[in-house]
Amino acid sequence: MTYDIAMDINVLGALNVLKFAKRCENVKIIVHVSTAYVCGEGEGVIPEKSFSLGETLNKNSKLDIDVERKVIDEKLKELEAQSLTTKEVTIAMRDLGIQRANLHGWPNTYSFTKAMGEMLLGHYKEDLQLVIIRPTIITSTYKEPFPGWIEGVKTVDSFILAYGKGVMNFCFGDPNTKLDMIPGDMVVNSILASIIAHIGNDEYYSSEELIYHISSSGINPLKTSDILLFLFNYFTKNPWMTKDGNIIKVGKPTLFSSMDSFRKYISTYYWPLLKIVELANVLSWRRFDKTYKDLKRKIDMAIRLSELYKPYLLFHGSFDDANTKRLRMTMKEHKMDGVLNFDPSCIKWEDYFMNTHLPGAVKHIF
């Protein structure tokens, strides 16, 4: 068997596929699936620009990937020596990952490790051609293999699940933030298109132009406030049922545009109520145990989701997609644009959410 292309999606995958590619003389191209949010909490127009090894977003630190790996290994050994539970180790390692990401300017470990994967491949690729696909927030499929297919709870779907179940009807975020989303099949189509364009064509792009932002905010923007309206309309028309057969009624989601106002709302309306329920539960020999746990879960989830998705809910940038537009033109020249569609301008967001993404998410992951 001969190989012309190798593909990976994360740091370990990047290293492994790089070793594989260098062992196979027929491999000429590496496709790395990264994320557009390697830019961190950027503003303005984010260019399709590569990272150099050791580069950081805050410019005040030097990133040494070997040091980062050593820090993680030593911390893991320290935690394992303490006979902690798996959950406790996971939480501690997660917190450490966020600390290390923040130290170098990234908001979370996801974008941090994706950036490191790009750096490693760019630095060690030698004469291999490197193509980096940077999608934004991936949602359910637009058309293929069928509309609405999705696996696993993705970024926006955590709130959708909590809202549809009636667990949470308030969230944190700027109503005017462009939530840059792209259907999963368009991401796959862009990967295939990049392979067609680059394979056997070393002169297609210069080495600085191998990054593709697969995004929608530049040509078909979608605001946070739009999604909240779609959610309210969908779950009002298609309410979920409790285990007891009761209809879950949803209200219009409340959106707080600053973390201070979000936390103030919780501390004013929810923490006092939780304390009252906790006291009543103790005095009544745990008669209100379920009520207390449900309310606490609601508060914990609201805080956790707001902290986890803050980089996306307060994002004030948009992604340059000049290379991606050129790739679409190339597919049009090959008469492949109908087969490999990754043009988000064709998406009617309200119709997509009401009739494709939300029904698909309910059916396939909820």
Side-chain angles (χ1 to χ4, degrees):
M1 179 180 291
T2 60
Y3 298 85
D4 294 298
I5 187 160
M7 187 173 75
D8 75 281
I9 59 173
N10 55 36
V11 177
L12 291 177
L15 292 172
N16 290 332
V17 83
L18 188 60
K19 293 176 182 177
F20 165 78
K22 288 184 176 180
R23 287 199 303 267
C24 301
E25 62 180 44
N26 291 322
V27 172
K28 305 297 182 183
I29 304 172
I30 295 177
V31 176
H32 176 66
V33 183
S34 183
T35 174
Y37 293 98
V38 289
C39 66
E41 298 170 286
E43 297 185 357
V45 179
I46 312 300
E48 292 169 303
K49 176 181 173 294
S50 61
F51 284 102
S52 58
L53 188 66
E55 183 179 352
T56 62
L57 293 182
N58 61 18
K59 309 302 180 184
N60 296 321
S61 62
K62 174 71 175 178
L63 174 61
D64 187 323
I65 295 177
D66 289 332
V67 169
E68 295 303 315
R69 184 168 57 183
K70 184 178 179 181
V71 169
I72 295 296
D73 289 342
E74 290 178 351
K75 183 64 175 180
L76 186 57
K77 289 178 182 177
E78 175 190 325
L79 293 171
E80 289 174 343
Q82 297 176 26
S83 300
L84 301 175
T85 64
T86 301
K87 183 177 181 180
E88 289 172 329
V89 171
T90 300
I91 292 172
M93 294 301 293
R94 181 192 64 193
D95 292 343
L96 176 62
I98 293 173
Q99 290 172 16
R100 301 304 298 182
N102 294 166
L103 174 65
H104 299 300
W106 280 272
N108 51 48
T109 52
Y110 176 70
S111 56
F112 181 39
T113 54
K114 286 290 190 181
M116 286 194 285
E118 289 190 16
M119 291 177 195
L120 289 169
L121 286 172
H123 186 75
Y124 293 110
K125 70 182 181 67
E126 297 179 353
D127 59 345
L128 291 169
Q129 192 175 21
L130 175 62
V131 175
I132 297 177
I133 304 294
R134 287 181 181 169
T136 51
I137 300 170
I138 301 176
T139 56
S140 61
T141 54
Y142 183 62
K143 284 189 175 180
E144 301 170 318
F146 48 82
W149 178 78
I150 189 172
E151 278 190 349
V153 178
K154 307 301 181 185
T155 307
V156 71
D157 301 315
S158 298
F159 178 74
I160 294 174
L161 176 60
Y163 177 72
K165 284 188 171 184
V167 174
M168 188 169 68
N169 67 343
F170 60 96
C171 63
F172 162 71
D174 184 342
N176 295 313
T177 287
K178 295 177 182 177
L179 270 181
D180 200 314
M181 299 185 173
I182 194 78
D185 52 338
M186 289 193 176
V187 178
V188 173
N189 288 343
S190 70
I191 294 171
L192 296 174
S194 70
I195 294 172
I196 292 171
H198 290 279
I199 199 165
N201 189 357
D202 296 338
E203 302 300 321
Y204 185 74
Y205 282 148
S206 68
S207 60
E208 290 80 21
E209 297 178 313
L210 300 181
I211 293 174
Y212 299 101
H213 282 157
I214 313 302
S215 61
S216 62
S217 59
I219 57 177
N220 193 4
L222 176 68
K223 294 182 179 180
T224 304
S225 55
D226 296 329
I227 293 180
L228 295 183
L229 179 60
F230 301 157
L231 284 177
F232 174 70
N233 290 338
Y234 180 81
F235 285 108
T236 298
K237 295 177 181 178
N238 307 279
W240 279 351
M241 308 278 285
T242 66
K243 291 180 179 179
D244 299 328
N246 298 318
I247 292 176
I248 299 174
K249 294 182 179 181
V250 297
K252 286 189 175 181
T254 302
L255 185 66
F256 296 94
S257 57
S258 73
M259 186 61 79
D260 287 341
S261 61
F262 177 77
R263 290 187 177 278
K264 184 178 180 181
Y265 178 79
I266 291 177
S267 63
T268 301
Y269 294 99
Y270 283 92
W271 281 122
L273 179 59
L274 183 66
K275 293 297 182 183
I276 292 172
V277 174
E278 182 180 25
L279 178 61
N281 192 37
V282 172
L283 295 177
S284 63
W285 298 92
R286 312 197 77 80
R287 181 181 176 185
F288 299 101
D289 202 42
K290 185 178 184 302
T291 303
Y292 172 76
K293 288 180 179 178
D294 287 346
L295 181 58
K296 189 175 186 305
R297 187 179 75 252
K298 181 177 183 178
I299 296 171
D300 290 344
M301 180 178 290
I303 294 173
R304 181 174 59 84
L305 290 180
S306 65
E307 292 175 344
L308 184 62
Y309 299 131
K310 179 183 175 183
Y312 312 106
L313 297 173
L314 288 182
F315 190 77
H316 296 117
S318 60
F319 298 98
D320 177 33
D321 62 349
N323 292 339
T324 305
K325 287 176 181 175
R326 185 177 173 183
L327 184 62
R328 282 198 289 266
M329 288 301 297
T330 301
M331 291 303 101
K332 193 170 184 179
E333 292 169 4
H334 284 76
K335 301 187 185 305
M336 294 288 290
D337 53 318
V339 179
L340 298 177
N341 174 32
F342 53 102
D343 185 355
S345 64
C346 67
I347 303 173
K348 295 180 180 179
W349 287 115
E350 183 173 7
D351 177 70
Y352 169 75
F353 268 87
M354 295 293 290
N355 299 310
T356 301
H357 181 67
L358 292 175
V362 169
K363 179 178 180 179
H364 300 296
I365 62 177
F366 298 157

